[in-house]
Amino acid sequence: MPGDAETAAPAETGPGKVTGTAWLDFTKGGGGKPNTIDPREFGLKGIKVEAVKDGKVVDSATAGADGTFTLSAKADGAELRLPASNFREPYNGVDWLGPSLVTPAIIGSYVWMWAGFAMVLIAAGLAGLPRELLEAARVDGANEWQVFRRITVPLLAPVLAVVLVTLMINVLKIFDLVFIIAPGSSQDDANVLALQLYRSSFGTDADPGVGSAIAVLLLLLVVPVMLFNIRRMRKESRR
Amino acid sequence: MTLTSTKPRQSLPARIAARAGGGAMRVFLILVALFWLMPTIGLLFSSLRSPTDIAETGWWKVFSAPSDLTLDNYANLLDNNTVVDSLFSTIMITVPSTVLVVVIGSLAGYAFAWMDFPGRDWWFLVVVGLLVVPVQVALVPVSELFGKIGIFETTAGVVLFHVAFGLPFAIFLLRNFFAEIPKELLEAARLDGAGEIRLFARVVMPLGGPAIASLGIFQFLWVWNDMLVALIFADSASPPITVALQRQVRQFGNNIDILAPGAFISMIIPLIVFFAFQRQFVSGVMAGAVK
């Protein structure tokens, strides 16, 4: 409801025009009657009304502050409808869950969720680094940045690779965050493979074939990681 | 093991802080930690405020009016059968899944590490390959299969699914951890006449404590926080907490007074489990991951 909405009023009738009221037939707190304009019910200001005859829009009008609208005589006998565009109007302002920001919002929550996991793994890796190498570099006059860049990061590379690969696979499979964070209206904008799989196989888009195809695609996407892991294991067992 | 260092045990932030010369670094780290905790703190405070307060102002208002805090939401929640039942079904799913994975995983890990059987290394490569297979791959066929054998939408089905997908990681982690146990220990026990079962129970299990604990935590958290599997395989009449909470999410106007305390309770239980095993966790988490 816009802040400047007025209580709904019955429209005045007149010759040569079709009039009506578009109002929210709902009294806050209860007590309203369906299909009558009760005292505390508001007009739907600015809503678009279309008159449709034989499948064509013959006239359209916009409701005033009290919800009344007037159509020309052309609309006589036509069916009135509220076109879908009324309900698609983008929210003005910062809407974290709107179409444009919902993906960054999900990314933000994902980073928040998994940063701790990555930190624990990397911290454990750091604790296992040989101190002597770091000390030796410092004795040789390397500054902290050089020690970090030339000693710590290369020594930590296996851990970083494990963290990177683990998180990449996790992100590939991401489902619950998107499913919960994105409201119905922006779910399409936030859609990911796993969510579409769920919607196709078990949800509203009922099409198990598409769902299974997505599952196969997901499997194909992780095959390189699988091979990488297997090669690493074989190398290790040979040692 | 890579992590047994000879230095005195000190927490990592403390060591970094000590190295950076204290002061500024310490303040910075505390700020980062606070920033990271912010959503959790917000959730806690939101769960302690009345629905009207939540609708009107942000949770940070508690600092100016701490007297507004109330436990009503929690009282309502515990009266609410749906939430209590869903917590119960979460536990009914999580505990058996975790126990089964730990038991089967450690037995299999021992076999892969210390027993000889034909094709052992190849089987292990299969396990390694299965590590990264996404659960999504199995959803459609397994749901049909479960439907045919009559365990679709039952706790047993969910547990079976979680155990199946938890095992590759469990076997991988424990096999690598067990493989690093010094050979001499096992040989000594063998010489003393211990059979495989005795060897497993008396030598390998006690030494594998950290790895088993961290596996237990991992598995517990995964199953506890899982929603996708629960959404599809769990009984929709008494869903686990994740699904029950998800149903409370509304596009316009959330049931924050149910969501916030529910989410907080569902967070605090794994946290208790985590802190109970935390000592072992950090040392066990790297097991097998890095050599």
Side-chain angles (χ1 to χ4, degrees):
Chain A
M1 275 280 111
D4 55 349
E6 291 174 16
T7 38
E12 289 167 26
T13 51
K17 58 183 182 177
V18 176
T19 60
T21 307
W23 83 101
L24 188 67
D25 195 5
F26 175 79
T27 305
K28 264 194 186 171
K33 283 198 189 72
N35 277 326
T36 44
I37 300 175
D38 295 302
R40 279 184 296 124
E41 293 180 352
F42 290 95
L44 292 168
K45 185 195 174 193
I47 204 162
K48 204 176 166 205
V49 183
E50 284 179 351
V52 184
K53 209 183 246 175
D54 303 329
K56 268 183 247 161
V57 178
V58 290
D59 198 12
S60 68
T62 306
D66 56 0
T68 56
F69 58 89
T70 309
L71 294 157
S72 69
K74 278 187 286 182
D76 196 27
E79 201 175 307
L80 297 186
R81 71 173 187 193
L82 305 174
S85 60
N86 280 317
F87 308 103
R88 289 234 184 99
E89 182 151 5
Y91 177 84
N92 296 318
V94 179
D95 183 355
W96 288 105
L97 303 181
S100 53
L101 282 180
V102 65
T103 304
I106 293 170
I107 294 174
S109 14
Y110 192 87
V111 168
W112 177 76
M113 245 177 96
W114 285 94
F117 175 78
M119 269 186 244
V120 170
L121 279 183
I122 293 173
L126 276 175
L129 285 190
R131 304 274 139 176
E132 308 84 68
L133 282 176
L134 304 187
E135 295 303 328
R138 278 201 200 96
V139 170
D140 288 348
N143 62 31
E144 279 305 313
W145 171 249
Q146 283 170 322
V147 171
F148 176 73
R149 178 69 194 78
R150 304 276 171 191
I151 312 278
T152 313
V153 172
L155 280 176
L156 213 55
V159 184
L160 295 178
V162 168
V163 174
L164 190 75
V165 168
T166 313
L167 287 183
M168 256 164 53
I169 295 178
N170 276 341
V171 179
L172 217 57
K173 300 188 290 189
I174 185 171
F175 167 78
D176 39 7
L177 279 186
V178 186
F179 187 67
I180 290 193
I181 292 178
S185 61
S186 43
Q187 219 180 53
D188 283 338
D189 299 280
N191 210 350
V192 292
L193 279 179
L195 180 59
Q196 186 55 46
L197 186 154
Y198 174 76
R199 287 182 6 177
S200 297
S201 309
F202 305 97
T204 44
D205 298 356
D207 190 345
V210 172
S212 308
I214 295 176
V216 173
L217 179 66
L218 268 175
L219 183 63
L220 289 181
L221 285 174
V222 298
V223 162
V225 181
M226 209 189 267
L227 296 179
F228 169 80
N229 275 353
I230 290 179
R231 281 182 58 181
R232 211 163 60 96
M233 276 317 294
R234 300 194 69 174
K235 231 185 278 169
E236 260 165 33
S237 58
R238 238 179 269 137
R239 262 189 309 186
Chain B
M1 259 120 279
T2 43
L3 299 174
T4 35
S5 80
T6 49
K7 307 227 164 195
R9 295 291 301 169
Q10 227 180 348
S11 73
L12 182 85
R15 261 180 289 147
I16 294 176
R19 218 193 291 166
M25 192 53 141
R26 189 161 294 177
V27 172
F28 176 74
L29 284 175
I30 290 172
L31 284 181
V32 171
L34 275 181
F35 179 74
W36 227 253
L37 277 175
M38 200 86 90
T40 313
I41 298 170
L43 181 70
L44 172 62
F45 284 141
S46 295
S47 71
L48 293 171
R49 307 175 77 218
S50 69
T52 42
D53 282 353
I54 297 172
E56 280 162 13
T57 54
W59 57 266
W60 45 90
K61 287 288 188 293
V62 291
F63 294 115
S64 48
S67 55
D68 286 352
L69 291 182
T70 157
L71 282 171
D72 286 358
N73 289 339
Y74 285 94
N76 291 339
L77 197 73
L78 295 179
D79 280 343
N80 185 337
N81 277 333
T82 338
V83 178
V84 178
D85 287 353
S86 69
L87 261 178
F88 185 68
S89 47
T90 297
I91 293 171
M92 288 304 287
I93 289 170
T94 311
V95 172
S97 305
T98 311
V99 171
L100 280 175
V101 163
V102 167
V103 170
I104 302 175
S106 51
L107 285 169
Y110 173 74
F112 274 118
W114 292 111
M115 286 167 77
D116 255 330
F117 55 90
R120 182 180 79 171
D121 293 345
W122 286 105
W123 281 114
F124 189 63
L125 285 186
V126 171
V127 172
V128 172
L130 286 174
L131 268 183
V132 291
V133 173
V135 289
Q136 282 89 343
V137 170
L139 293 181
V140 178
V142 172
S143 62
E144 277 173 21
L145 178 71
F146 279 11
K148 290 234 169 68
I149 59 176
I151 54 170
F152 191 60
E153 298 223 328
T154 62
T155 308
V158 188
V159 170
L160 193 59
F161 194 95
H162 278 305
V163 171
F165 271 87
L167 271 180
F169 177 74
I171 297 174
F172 173 74
L173 182 114
L174 293 179
R175 181 263 178 200
N176 284 358
F177 197 91
F178 292 162
E180 290 188 21
I181 294 172
K183 216 176 183 165
E184 294 76 21
L185 279 178
L186 290 147
E187 273 163 6
R190 278 220 178 86
L191 278 182
D192 290 347
E196 295 289 354
I197 293 178
R198 208 182 168 82
L199 218 56
F200 173 74
R202 297 289 162 141
V203 181
V204 175
M205 282 299 265
L207 286 172
I212 291 171
S214 56
L215 170 72
I217 293 179
F218 267 135
Q219 183 65 22
F220 187 91
L221 284 181
W222 280 332
V223 179
W224 187 276
N225 289 330
D226 159 77
M227 192 175 73
L228 181 55
V229 178
L231 207 54
I232 294 168
F233 291 101
D235 184 2
S236 47
S238 60
I241 187 92
T242 44
V243 178
L245 287 178
Q246 181 263 330
R247 287 185 184 167
Q248 297 294 333
V249 176
R250 304 279 186 270
Q251 181 162 3
F252 305 106
N254 279 328
N255 295 346
I256 285 282
D257 52 319
I258 299 176
L259 268 177
F264 197 77
I265 288 181
S266 93
M267 193 189 74
I268 207 77
I269 295 176
L271 264 186
I272 293 170
V273 174
F274 177 82
F275 281 118
F277 292 97
Q278 193 228 12
R279 255 169 190 290
Q280 281 95 347
F281 182 68
V282 177
S283 59
V285 72
M286 286 300 289
V290 181
K291 299 248 174 175

